Amino acid sequence: MIQSYNERTGKVVHSRINDVVNTGKKLGYRVKTSSGKSVVVSSIHPFLTEDGWKKIIDLKVGDKVALPKKYVPITDVVIPDDDAYFIGLSIAEGGLTQRQYKVSTAEPEVVEFLESYAKSKGMKFRKISEYTYGISRRDTGVKHHPIMELLDRYELMGKKSLDKALHPEMFRWCSDAKLNLIRGLFDGDSTVCKSSGSLMYTSGSKELIDGIYQILLEFGVFSSLGSVHVKGSEYYTLSIYPKYLEVPLS
């Protein structure tokens, strides 16, 4: 099943793939919208414009193409809210490259949640340094590590920050789980721009930023994509501006 546009209703719907046609290797064209979203297509690929469907070779800079205001996801996977929030925090602030769990945060509410979450799993929560905390099973009598197992399930353990991404199953999570995932991500690693009032999430992983962008669209939240260079490295940004929301950011 894929998401497609129903011209009769004007809505994005789920449709079943009927066939796949191999048209061979050809030149690709990168199309980038003002929001920063981009896609590579062939010269015959059609885009819906104000004047109907047009092939990419017939478009010019400044033309308007149709984009969904909201995605309609298939949601059939239910996971506990605390697990979803914890995974979001772990993607944002977790040090997952070794077989131990560490997280960096200066937010008292996040520390309080992590301590409570670790206790609910039978784990031991400890402070490593001023802003770094760890969760382990040492001296607990627990024979397995439920937190490691959870992160392994979503292929997050061993991942560097540049390699972190939303697991395919996360896009099938129920709405509540996705909301808590987003809460964890933004509670762990987001900033508010004083000049524009925008809420920004930054990551070295473009795949992660694209995944967050898609999930936000499922809730009707439109965001803008960009990139910045810091000390020779490229980082990808996702910004949510107050004008794209029904209520102002607080």
Side-chain angles (χ1 to χ4, degrees), residues 113-162:
F113 166 81
L114 288 170
E115 186 171 12
S116 174
Y117 184 79
K119 185 177 180 180
S120 71
K121 301 293 185 181
M123 298 284 97
K124 188 174 182 180
F125 182 78
R126 62 191 178 94
K127 187 173 184 177
I128 299 175
S129 62
E130 186 176 5
Y131 299 119
T132 303
Y133 302 85
I135 298 176
S136 69
R137 63 179 180 179
R138 184 180 300 174
D139 301 324
T140 63
V142 177
K143 295 183 179 180
H144 64 101
H145 201 312
I147 287 176
M148 292 291 193
E149 292 173 0
L150 177 66
L151 296 174
D152 275 334
R153 173 182 173 184
Y154 294 103
E155 300 178 4
L156 290 171
M157 290 306 301
K159 293 291 181 69
K160 298 179 180 179
S161 58
L162 297 178

Side-chain angles (χ1 to χ4, degrees), residues 5 18 22 33 42 47 60 74 80 90 106 122 143 167 171-172 175 178 184 200 203 220:
Y5 177 68
N18 294 320
N22 187 345
T33 67
S42 66
F47 282 84
K60 61 182 185 298
I74 299 175
S90 300
K143 295 183 179 180
H167 190 274
F171 296 99
R172 300 180 70 95
S175 295
K178 285 179 179 174
M200 178 183 289
S203 173

Side-chain angles (χ1 to χ4, degrees), residues 19-69:
D19 197 7
V20 177
V21 179
N22 187 345
T23 58
K25 189 178 294 185
K26 57 178 67 65
L27 185 65
Y29 295 81
R30 181 176 297 278
V31 183
K32 187 174 183 179
T33 67
S34 59
S35 70
K37 195 69 176 174
S38 66
V39 63
V40 176
V41 299
S42 66
S43 61
I44 61 173
H45 189 89
F47 282 84
L48 182 59
T49 72
E50 294 177 309
D51 299 318
W53 291 95
K54 287 186 177 181
K55 295 178 180 179
I56 179 59
I57 56 175
D58 296 323
L59 291 179
K60 61 182 185 298
V61 174
D63 283 352
K64 293 182 178 180
V65 297
L67 290 173
K69 290 184 178 179

Side-chain angles (χ1 to χ4, degrees), residues 55-93:
K55 295 178 180 179
I56 179 59
I57 56 175
D58 296 323
L59 291 179
K60 61 182 185 298
V61 174
D63 283 352
K64 293 182 178 180
V65 297
L67 290 173
K69 290 184 178 179
K70 187 174 182 179
Y71 279 130
V72 183
I74 299 175
T75 54
D76 57 4
V77 177
V78 178
I79 75 164
D81 291 343
D82 282 355
D83 285 354
Y85 183 74
F86 175 77
I87 289 172
L89 284 175
S90 300
I91 293 173
E93 296 287 18

